[in-house]
Amino acid sequence: MIKIENLEKVYKTEEVETTALNGINLHVKEGEFVSIMGPSGCGKSTLLNVMGLLDKPESGSYKFIDTELLTLNDRERSNFRKRNMGFVFQNFNLIDELTVFENIELPLIYNRIPASERKTLVNEIIERMNIVNRSGHFPQQLSGGQQQRVAVARALVTKPKLVLADEPTGNLDSSHGNEVMELLCELNETGTTIVMVTHSSHDASFSNRIINLKDGHVVSEKINKSRNEELI
Amino acid sequence: MFKLNLKIAWRNLWKNKGYTFINILGLSIGMASCILIFIFIRYQMSFDEGFKNEDRIYRLTTNWTSADGFAESQGVPKPTPAAFRNDFKNQVEKVGSIRQDGGVIKVKDDAGKERIKVQEDVFYAEPEFFQIMNFEWLEGNPNQSLTQPNTVVLSQEMANKLFGDWNKAVGKTINYQNRDNFTVSGILKDIPDNSSFPLNIVVSYQTFKNYKNENFNSWGNTSSNDECYFLLKPSVSIDEIRSILPKFSEKYFQKDNSGKEEISAQALTDVHYNENLGNFANRTMPKKELYGLAIIGAFLLLTACINFINLATAQAVSRSKEVGVRKVMGSLRKQLVFQFLTETLTISVLALLIACVLTEIALPGMRSLFQDNISFSIISHPIILVFIVVLVIVVSFLAGFYPAMVMSGFSPALAIKNKISANAGGLGLRKVLVVVQFSITVILIIGTLVVLKQMNYMREKPLGFNPSAIAMVSVRNDSLSLLKYQILQERVSKIPGVLSTSFCRNPPSSSNNNESNFRYNGTEKANFQVNTKVADENYFKTFGLTFAAGRGFSKSDTIREIVVNETALKKLNVVNFNDALGKKIRIWDKEGTLVGVVKDFNNLSLHEPISPVLITTVKENYRNLAVKMDSKQILAVMPKIEKIWNDTFPENFYSASFVDDDISQYYETERVMGVLFKVFAGVIIFISFIGLFGLISFVATQRTKEVAIRKVLGASTIELVRMLNGSFLIMVFIANLVAWPLAYLFISKWLSTFTYRIEISIWPFALAMIISMVITLITVSIRSFKAANANTIDALKYE
Ligand SMILES: Nc1ncnc2c1ncn2[C@@H]1O[C@H](COP(=O)(O)OP(=O)(O)OP(=O)(O)O)[C@@H](O)[C@H]1O
Ligand SMILES: [Mg+2]
C-alpha cells in the first residue's frame, strides 16, 4: 500500500543543518502492523510526520496505493490526510477545552459527516474503547491511559486506512501501555494498516515487522515470526 | 527589593515587546488626548477669575417672556443702572455701566499729520465698573481717569500700538469716528486672553452721556451693548436681590400685551459659560460642552486601560510560574500586588513621556481649532503637573489593579506545575471589557457619521435665497455719508463682474436681528413681533428672493411700500396671500402698503424656525452695501470695491465680509464638534483595534497547540481562521447591539437642537456595524491567518 523511495529530509536552522532522513526506502503492505525503532534523534518521528503529510521532505517519492503524495498542494494534502489517516501521539494531544465526546467528534466534523451520523459513530467507538461513562469529561479529568484511549478513539473514528502512532505508550505505565497496545492489535486485526514508532521492544513484539533506523536510514528489518504465525 | 522588582518588570516588558508596545502606544495616545482635553478645560475654566470679591460680582440682564417663548439679552435698558443704584442702596455696594461700541481711531503725529487709522472696539465705562472689577492699572485710577468727559484709558498694548511707548501715552489725544477727540488719562495692564472683557480702549461713560442723540430715559429699548455690573454687599445674599427684581421690573417697564419684560442678575462666574447670554469677548463655552469633552476624555482613557487589562490578564498565565515560585519562597500576596503595580506604573510613566510629546505635537492643531491661546506650560500652570501625576496614578491603578489581583491570586501548587489554564485570567471579564470598549467605539463612529451628515445637510440645504458671492461692504449712516450712497452704488455697479447691488441693514439671514411690533390693516397691534429688514428695492434681486404673491417694493428712502414673508401672513391668518396685497401696515409709527409676499427663507440659523419677516425701505438705517458678483471674478472685483469705497469715504475704515462666510459662522460650534468627533473617533478606533490585535495575537499563541491538533485532524486554513475570529466578531457584534440604543439617545438629543435636521435613519448604525466588523475581521484575520498557516508539528512535540 505504501511505497517510500529515497526520502530525504534536512532541517535547516541558523547554525546547523540536520539530515533527519537520509534516503529512506520503505514498503508497507495493506493490513500490516509495522514498528519503527532506533536511537533517539535517528529520524523516527520525522519519518512518521512525513508519512502523515505533516511535514514535507526535500526529495524522494511517497506513493499511497497508486497516488504520489509528495506532489500534492497543501489543500490536497490536508484532504487526503483527513480521509485516510489517523494519528496517535505520545502526549495524547487532546484539546483541553473540549469534552471526550467532542474531541472524538472533531475529525468527523472536518470530514463533513452529518451530525446524526457523527453521534452514532462516536458512541460506537466510545463503547468499543470502554469509556462510555467518561464521554462528558474533559481531558484533565482522565488518567493518562484513559486519555490515550480517547486519542486512539479519535484516530479510529473516521475509519482510516492508515494509523500512525508516535510512541503511543511512552507516557504510560506498563499496564496502561498494554491496554493501548491491545487496542492497536484489535484494530490491526480488523484490517487497518498501522505504523508505530516505539522504544520498547515489548511493544514492538505486537507488530508484524520491525524496522530499525539509524542516522536517517533503514539499517535492518526483522519479521516478527510469532506474530505473523498468530496472524495466519 | 524595589530595585529587583523594577529589574524584573523591565525584563518582562522587554520579553513581551509586542504587547508592551501596544500597551504603551494605546496608553500614550489616550493620555495625550486626556492631557489636551484637560488643558483646554482648564483654560476655559480660568476665564474671568482672580477679581477681588469675584463671588459678589453680578451682571444685570434683561429677559422677555411672550407667547413666542423666552428671550434674553446680556444688556439692560439705559436707565436701568441709575434706577437699580437708587432702589437697591441697601443691598448693593456699587453699580457700574459699561457700553460696547466701535469705530475708527485715528492718531496724528506732532506735525498734525494722520499717522494711524484703525478700526477698534471702544468701550464707555463708568468709574464704578473698574471699582467693581479690580483690573490692574499702570497709570491713573478709575476715579481720576474716567470721571471727566472725553477722557480715554488705553491698554498697555493699545498704547504701544498707537503711540509707540505706553509710558508716553498719557496726555496725548486720539480721534474717534472723525467726531471726538479723547485725551489719554490712564493705562490698563494688558487683559489676558482668558477674559470676557477685551478692554483695550475705554472712554469715560460721561462722554457717552453727553451725546445728544442718546436717550437715557427710555425703558423700551434694550441693546446687548449696554452691560451693567454690580457688587453685592458682603452680608447680602443674591437671592434677596433676585426676590426684589420682579417688583423692580414691574415698576419701570411698560406693561404690554405682547409679553413681560424683566431684569435679572447673573453671576460673573456664569458670564463665560452662558451661551444664551453673550459677552463682550463674544466667546462663550457652555459647561455642557466641557462636560462632553471630559466624558470623551474619560472614554479614551478607559479604552486604553481596557487594552492594558486585557493584555495583562491574558499574559498572566505565562507568568503563573514566577508567581508560584515567589509564593513558595515566602512572598506575600501584598508584595506581589505591589510588584505588578510597579510594572504598570513603569508602563504608565513611559506612556506619559510619549503622551507629553504627542500633546506638544497636537497643540497647534488644537489652538487653531478652538482659536484660543492654550498652552501646555507646567511652569505657568502647575495644576497641569498635578493632573498628570494624578493621571498616571489613576491609570496605573485602573489598569494594573485587577491584573495584579488575578496574578497574585494564583494557587502556588497549580502555578508551579504550570497548570493554570488560559481561562484563569478572567476570560469572561476580558470579553465584557472588549464589548464595553467596542460599544464606546461604535457610539463614536455613529456619532461622527451623524454629525458629519447633519453638517453636510446644513451646507446644502436651500435657504430660500442665494448667499453665494455676495459681499457685505459696511457703510456709515451719518448724514454726510448718506449723501454719498448714490455715487458709491453707481460706481460699484459699473465694476465688471458686479451683477447687482443693494443697500440694506442685514442680509436675509443674519445673526443681527431686529424685532418689532406692528399693526396690520388698521387693527390692534399684532400679537407677535416681526423680524424687520430694511433694504432698498434691489434687495430681492441681489439675494435671489422669490415672490409668492405681488412684487418687490419700488424705490423710496422712507417707509412707503412693504414686503412680508409667507410666515408673517400665516401668523396673521391670511389664507390667500393676494387678499393681503394693498393692505396697510403700521410700523415704527409710520404706515406703508403691503405690495408683495416673499417665499419663506431661513432668516436665522437652521437651529431656529423661520420668523415672520417684514422688509421695507428706511435709508438712514442701512449699514451695508450688498454686492452680488460673478463668482469667478470675486478676486478681481473686491480690491476695486475697496478702492472706490476708500475714495468715497476717505475718513472711514473699509470693512467687508461675505454672506456665506457669515452663515457658516453660525455653525462654528458644530464644525468644531465635527472635527473633534472625527479625531477622537479615529483615536478610539485606533486604540481599540491595536488592543484587539494584541488580544488576537495572544489568543493565537495560546491556542497554537489546539490549532495544530485540529490541523492534523483535517481542518483547513479557512476553518481555522474562522474558528479564531469567531468569538471576536461575536463580541464586536454584541458591542454594536449595546451601542445602538445609546447612540440613538445621544444623536436624537443632539439633532433636536436643530429645527432643520436630517431624519435619523438606519444607515449610520448599519455603516458603523459594517465598519467595525470589517476592521475587526481584517485585524484578527491578519494574525489568525498567520497562526493557521504556521508549522504544525513543532507545536505538538512537547507538552
Ligand atoms: N523542527 C526541527 N528543526 C531542526 N531540527 C529538527 C527538527 N525536528 C527534528 N530535528 C532534528 O532531526 C533529527 C531527527 O529528529 P526526530 O524527531 O525525527 O528524532 P526521533 O528519532 O523521533 O527521536 P526521539 O526518539 O528522541 O523522539 C534530530 O537530530 C533532531 O534534532
Ligand atoms: Mg520522536
Side-chain angles (χ1 to χ4, degrees), chain B residues 347-414:
Chain B
I347 291 197
S348 306
V349 170
L350 279 176
L352 178 73
L353 296 179
I354 300 174
C356 288
V357 176
L358 292 178
T359 305
E360 275 298 339
I361 294 171
L363 211 53
M366 176 113 163
R367 268 188 212 124
S368 73
L369 179 63
F370 290 104
Q371 284 154 13
D372 269 321
N373 186 20
I374 314 156
S375 88
F376 180 38
S377 162
I378 294 170
I379 296 151
S380 52
H381 309 296
I383 183 81
I384 297 179
L385 184 68
V386 174
F387 174 76
I388 286 174
V389 171
V390 171
L391 186 70
V392 167
I393 293 171
V394 166
V395 166
S396 302
F397 266 88
L398 204 60
F401 196 71
Y402 179 75
M405 290 312 283
V406 168
M407 286 195 259
S408 62
F410 288 146
S411 132
L414 287 180

Side-chain angles (χ1 to χ4, degrees), chain B residues 538-567:
Chain B
N538 295 318
Y539 192 68
F540 306 101
K541 184 179 147 208
T542 306
F543 287 99
L545 293 164
T546 51
F547 284 87
R551 56 171 173 85
F553 40 68
S554 44
K555 190 172 169 60
S556 168
D557 287 347
T558 52
I559 299 180
R560 203 165 62 99
E561 291 178 338
I562 289 175
V563 166
V564 296
N565 71 350
E566 295 170 301
T567 302

